[in-house]
Amino acid sequence: MITKYQYGNPIETDAVVKDIPLSYGKLPFFNVTNGNTTFSYVLSENDIVYGLGEQVRGINKRGWKYKSYNFDNPNHQEDTNSLYGAHNFLLISGEKMFGVFFDYAGLIEFDIGYTDHKMLIVTADDENMKVYILTGETELDIVKQFREIIGQSYIAPKWAFGYGQSRWGYKTEEDIREVADKHEKYNIPLDSIYLDIDYMERYKDFTVDTQRFKDLKKLQEEMLKRGIHLVPIIDAGVKIEKGYAVYEEGIKYDYFCKDEDGENFVGAVWPGRVHFPDFMKPETRRWFGDQYAVLLDMGIDGFWNDMNEPAIFYTQKRLESVMRRVNELSKQNMGIDEFFEFKGLVEGISNNIEDYNTFFHDINGKKVAHKKVHNLYGYQMTRAAYEAFDRMEKNKRILMFSRSSYIGAHRYGGIWHGDNKSWWSHLLMNMQMLPALNMAGFIFSGADTCGFGSNATEDLVMRWLQLSIFTPLMRNHSAIGTREQELYQFQNVADTKKIIEIRYGLIPYIYSEYMKAVLNNDMMFKPLAFDFRDDILAKATEDQILLGNEVMITPIYKQNAIGRYVYLPEEMMMVRMTSLDQVETKILSKGHHYIQAKLNELVFFIRHGKKIPIAKKAKNTAELHTQKLLFLGWKDASYLYYEDDGISRKYDLEKNTKII
């Protein structure tokens, strides 16, 4: 059952696409105070709080305070409050069970037992919002109801489930060829190579630096013949430069956000000073989306949108103010107070929340402060791209995923989990985000495998690969200046090759579970407690998750570990793989087990009475043979298998599903 409540005059987010009649009277479960901006709920001692999509900490969100205010922050630490996405859906499981979605695009805070362990307190910047309450018999029932009202999730092309290699720092087409050549040399399967900002002409959107990438169309054609798709990045900011067509058109047709004085707002990112397209205007979305044609016409069929929180390195006004004060301080004998003021001024230039209060959007002819719709910005940028693809490539799937998002963006693209680090804690966080993102509709997702910032170690690379082979998006991505972490850079390249081969063997299962989750409004990744509802230990387990109805994932996420403890909520089959050709299975009883796993051993579990399909080796998804599948699992089990052509938009669940 779903009920909808409205406070004030909320801005339409289009997050919910199903018409839910407005309910009147008191909001159930919550006490509403402070001019309808504070919502409080008394938690029972054993209540578990799931949700919030892309956030820090564990699967159970109780015990910390979180903010939904999309923020460019690569240092995802325990004391972080917000990341790149805003996914305001919670599910309380305990004495009472219900879901709640706060459809609110500005800053909203969730104090989930931080100030008072017994209290869930939600505080918004103002009272203009919609609140949806969902009740049902099980957690999954509530999630499926929510997924139904927010609309079907984005469907990626099948090639996007292959392995992708990316790095900020591939500066020439020769660098791209080297990546392709090295993968061929070491027989490491590969489906995509990503182009970061280096391919652009002075970091200008929808341009190509022809000195370093002489003929991108020809390069794409060359790569496609090798089974490799090029996937360029697109940023939100448009460089201010006379003669630059995108800038000139944006000025001519008034497509940019404004400042307090009605002038085009000036921020700065990679190219220096930029204007930000006003994606809240439909005409701006159409204009910006049409720009992708420049690259689509070159044969490009995949993109990733970045810097769309939006990230702001500085604004001109803040920079000038900071420089004046820094100049004053530099002339003094700075003591502790002056030094920390100096340090704070410099560190506070980037992504300063006050700067988000200084520019405005045009929404249906009304001037609206950015802070009120901040969390919609990346969502509407992704929407602009998807709607353009729908016009230009009506029957073909185009890969699209974004850094910033809000619920609703899940219909137009996937996401990656932001600019993480090569930290063991981020490997675990990667896994723990997956169920909450599925709850919010984001099924095509994955982290920067092996970590974006910092320096990866070989053991971290192997252990992270052993998790990422199960996620829809499997992309190895790293930052310029960090240790090169292409798989052929490490000593045991034979082991990394084998783990990627296992990924390709698993693609029939992963793709099938992905498509069924999307088309059935289901979850691909679930907490153990969603299926083992009466098992107290399953509810307490935070470092294992379920994939589909068949698999349990138990990643190793500690350095130098030779194994880990695993809890089996039922009898399961342990699968140990060092390659597609070297597979051991063993039936283990319900309960606790210590499982040894060498660095080159993938261990996962198949649930009682289940089996999964496995394909033979392939160098890319185009060469996957799914007509003659092998099976892992229980002898007399069956599997509900989905398969389609992987590229068209014909998603016939009944026609394309069969029992095998």
Side-chain angles (χ1 to χ4, degrees):
M1 179 179 176
I2 304 171
T3 52
K4 170 185 170 183
Y5 299 83
Q6 181 168 311
Y7 300 90
N9 297 298
I11 292 168
E12 182 56 61
T13 69
D14 294 327
V16 173
V17 296
K18 187 174 181 179
D19 185 31
I20 307 295
L22 198 60
S23 297
Y24 298 92
K26 188 177 183 295
L27 183 72
F29 304 111
F30 287 92
N31 183 35
V32 185
T33 56
N34 297 334
N36 300 329
T37 61
T38 302
F39 302 77
S40 57
Y41 173 73
V42 180
L43 294 163
S44 298
E45 182 64 28
N46 296 319
D47 280 356
I48 297 175
V49 182
Y50 298 103
L52 291 185
E54 185 183 74
Q55 264 293 359
V56 298
R57 301 206 169 211
I59 292 173
N60 183 357
K61 292 299 186 289
R62 194 164 179 176
W64 189 237
K65 53 183 179 180
Y66 308 87
K67 294 181 181 179
S68 278
Y69 204 71
N70 296 348
F71 191 62
D72 175 17
N73 174 21
N75 298 309
H76 314 163
Q77 300 176 142
E78 283 193 36
D79 61 351
T80 300
N81 299 112
S82 58
L83 297 180
Y84 301 94
H87 310 129
N88 306 335
F89 177 64
L90 293 174
L91 197 161
I92 290 81
S93 175
E95 291 184 10
K96 298 176 182 177
M97 188 166 60
F98 64 95
V100 56
F101 173 43
F102 294 92
D103 192 4
Y104 181 76
L107 173 62
I108 184 167
E109 301 187 33
F110 299 86
D111 183 335
I112 309 178
Y114 170 77
T115 301
D116 182 338
H117 189 68
K118 300 186 299 295
M119 296 300 299
L120 163 61
I121 303 170
V122 182
T123 307
D125 257 9
D126 62 49
E127 67 171 7
N128 300 302
M129 74 180 76
K130 298 174 186 175
V131 181
Y132 296 81
I133 299 291
L134 304 93
T135 56
E137 295 185 1
T138 67
E139 294 87 352
L140 190 55
D141 174 34
I142 291 171
V143 170
K144 293 184 75 167
Q145 288 184 66
F146 181 61
R147 293 275 305 284
E148 183 179 347
I149 68 169
I150 61 176
Q152 181 179 290
S153 299
Y154 162 80
I155 295 178
K158 193 171 184 178
W159 64 260
F161 290 77
Y163 179 63
Q165 178 57 52
S166 180
R167 182 173 173 85
W168 171 19
Y170 295 154
K171 295 184 177 181
T172 66
E173 59 183 50
E174 286 73 26
D175 291 340
I176 302 301
R177 289 193 180 93
E178 180 183 1
V179 172
D181 291 345
K182 288 287 182 67
H183 277 80
E184 286 189 7
K185 176 182 177 180
Y186 292 104
N187 295 313
I188 303 172
L190 185 68
D191 262 272
S192 54
I193 299 176
Y194 288 75
L195 305 179
D196 211 313
I197 55 176
D198 313 280
Y199 82 93
M200 299 179 186
E201 179 193 336
R202 291 178 287 119
Y203 309 126
K204 294 185 295 184
D205 278 342
F206 309 111
T207 67
V208 177
D209 186 330
T210 54
Q211 290 188 343
R212 291 183 287 128
F213 290 84
K214 295 179 182 178
D215 191 334
L216 187 60
K217 181 178 181 180
K218 185 176 179 180
L219 181 64
Q220 166 73 343
E221 291 170 351
E222 175 190 332
M223 289 296 122
L224 285 176
K225 289 178 181 177
R226 302 169 71 170
I228 298 170
H229 299 253
L230 297 182
V231 184
I233 194 171
I234 302 294
D235 286 337
V238 173
K239 180 177 174 61
I240 299 172
E241 180 179 282
K242 288 189 179 297
Y244 169 36
V246 180
Y247 165 75
E248 297 284 7
E249 287 180 12
I251 293 292
K252 180 178 180 180
Y253 295 105
D254 200 24
Y255 290 141
F256 296 126
C257 296
K258 305 297 182 184
D259 64 17
E260 303 98 317
D261 300 322
E263 300 296 322
N264 291 318
F265 175 76
V266 179
V269 283
W270 304 115
R273 294 178 179 85
V274 299
H275 293 322
F276 291 111
D278 186 356
F279 292 120
M280 301 304 294
K281 297 167 66 175
E283 56 268 35
T284 301
R285 291 199 299 272
R286 185 177 184 95
W287 163 75
F288 193 86
D290 285 346
Q291 306 304 315
Y292 287 82
V294 172
L295 294 163
L296 288 171
D297 290 345
M298 296 181 187
I300 299 293
D301 52 3
F303 302 87
W304 47 307
N305 284 347
D306 196 11
M307 305 295 285
N308 52 355
E309 291 70 38
I312 302 177
F313 289 174
Y314 64 86
T315 63
Q316 188 62 35
K317 291 181 180 179
R318 180 166 301 281
L319 180 64
E320 292 171 356
S321 173
V322 167
M323 293 305 294
R324 282 195 299 270
R325 181 56 181 157
V326 166
N327 186 51
E328 292 172 1
L329 290 170
S330 67
K331 296 176 181 178
Q332 303 178 25
N333 177 19
M334 287 192 290
I336 185 170
D337 293 336
E338 292 82 8
F339 172 74
F340 281 110
E341 181 187 355
F342 165 81
K343 186 178 179 182
L345 284 168
V346 175
E347 291 178 346
I349 288 178
S350 296
N351 302 312
N352 192 300
I353 195 168
E354 293 179 5
D355 288 334
Y356 293 123
N357 300 337
T358 64
F359 67 100
F360 300 83
H361 297 269
D362 180 346
I363 301 179
N364 298 322
K366 183 179 179 182
K367 181 180 177 181
V368 177
H370 173 80
K371 66 178 182 179
K372 294 184 178 296
V373 293
H374 174 75
N375 293 331
L376 300 182
Y377 194 79
Y379 159 20
Q380 298 294 1
M381 180 184 179
T382 299
R383 178 180 183 178
Y386 181 89
E387 290 176 344
F389 303 155
D390 203 30
R391 294 190 298 271
M392 294 182 272
E393 298 280 1
K394 186 127 186 107
N395 295 314
K396 181 181 178 181
R397 304 181 212 175
I398 304 295
L399 173 62
M400 165 52 62
F401 59 94
S402 171
R403 191 169 76 176
S404 177
S405 61
Y406 181 84
I407 292 173
H410 71 285
R411 300 191 297 269
Y412 305 113
I415 60 172
W416 87 98
H417 300 176
D419 295 348
N420 60 3
K421 299 276 192 178
S422 296
W423 295 345
W424 291 90
S425 61
H426 281 190
L427 191 167
L428 177 61
M429 190 185 300
N430 173 182
M431 186 211 73
Q432 291 174 327
M433 283 183 187
L434 292 167
L437 284 169
N438 277 204
M439 291 168 65
F442 294 94
I443 313 300
F444 188 81
S445 73
D448 283 342
T449 296
C450 311
F452 174 69
S454 193
N455 296 313
T457 59
E458 188 163 1
D459 56 346
L460 175 63
V461 167
M462 281 299 296
R463 294 306 192 194
W464 210 317
L465 290 172
Q466 290 165 10
L467 169 63
S468 290
I469 62 170
F470 295 105
T471 61
L473 173 62
M474 187 184 187
R475 177 180 74 150
N476 180 344
H477 184 44
S478 56
I480 194 169
T482 63
R483 181 181 186 177
E484 294 178 331
Q485 63 190 40
E486 294 86 0
L487 303 185
Y488 48 77
Q489 303 284 3
F490 297 97
Q491 184 176 359
N492 294 317
V493 66
D495 290 335
T496 56
K497 175 182 82 76
K498 289 175 183 177
I499 199 74
I500 302 302
E501 288 176 344
I502 294 173
R503 161 65 174 206
Y504 279 78
L506 288 168
I507 283 178
Y509 175 66
I510 294 166
Y511 182 74
S512 175
E513 291 306 302
Y514 167 82
M515 291 300 297
K516 289 187 295 184
V518 169
L519 297 175
N520 289 318
N521 290 319
D522 209 338
M523 295 176 69
M524 184 175 177
F525 297 99
K526 295 174 287 186
L528 269 59
F530 277 30
D531 280 11
F532 300 95
R533 301 188 63 247
D534 298 322
D535 189 324
I536 294 175
L537 294 179
K539 292 181 179 181
T541 300
E542 292 263 322
D543 59 356
Q544 304 168 204
I545 58 172
L546 301 174
L547 166 53
N549 294 316
E550 294 78 22
V551 168
M552 183 173 73
I553 303 169
T554 59
I556 292 175
Y557 53 91
K558 294 183 179 179
Q559 191 165 21
N560 300 318
I562 60 171
R564 59 160 291 174
Y565 284 96
V566 172
Y567 173 65
L568 305 186
E570 65 180 2
E571 181 182 69
M572 291 188 184
M573 177 182 291
M574 182 182 71
V575 178
R576 184 187 302 275
M577 305 178 75
T578 53
S579 73
L580 275 175
D581 303 318
Q582 295 173 296
V583 184
E584 298 177 7
T585 61
K586 183 179 180 180
I587 306 299
L588 297 181
S589 61
K590 174 182 176 179
H592 293 281
H593 300 267
Y594 182 79
I595 307 298
Q596 290 189 331
K598 297 177 183 177
L599 200 58
N600 67 339
E601 291 180 329
L602 169 69
V603 174
F604 64 97
F605 295 83
I606 298 178
R607 294 176 60 179
H608 180 79
K610 306 291 185 180
K611 71 177 182 181
I612 65 171
I614 300 287
K616 293 183 178 180
K617 293 180 184 179
K619 65 180 293 187
N620 52 51
T621 54
E623 294 192 4
L624 268 178
H625 296 291
T626 57
Q627 291 77 22
K628 295 182 179 180
L629 295 171
L630 305 174
F631 294 93
L632 269 177
W634 302 75
K635 183 178 179 181
D636 297 324
S638 61
Y639 176 70
L640 190 63
Y641 178 57
Y642 178 96
E643 184 180 21
D644 59 21
D645 63 17
I647 194 66
S648 74
R649 297 190 184 184
K650 298 176 181 178
Y651 320 124
D652 190 326
L653 186 63
E654 183 176 347
K655 180 180 177 181
N656 295 324
T657 306
K658 62 181 178 181
I659 297 175
I660 54 176

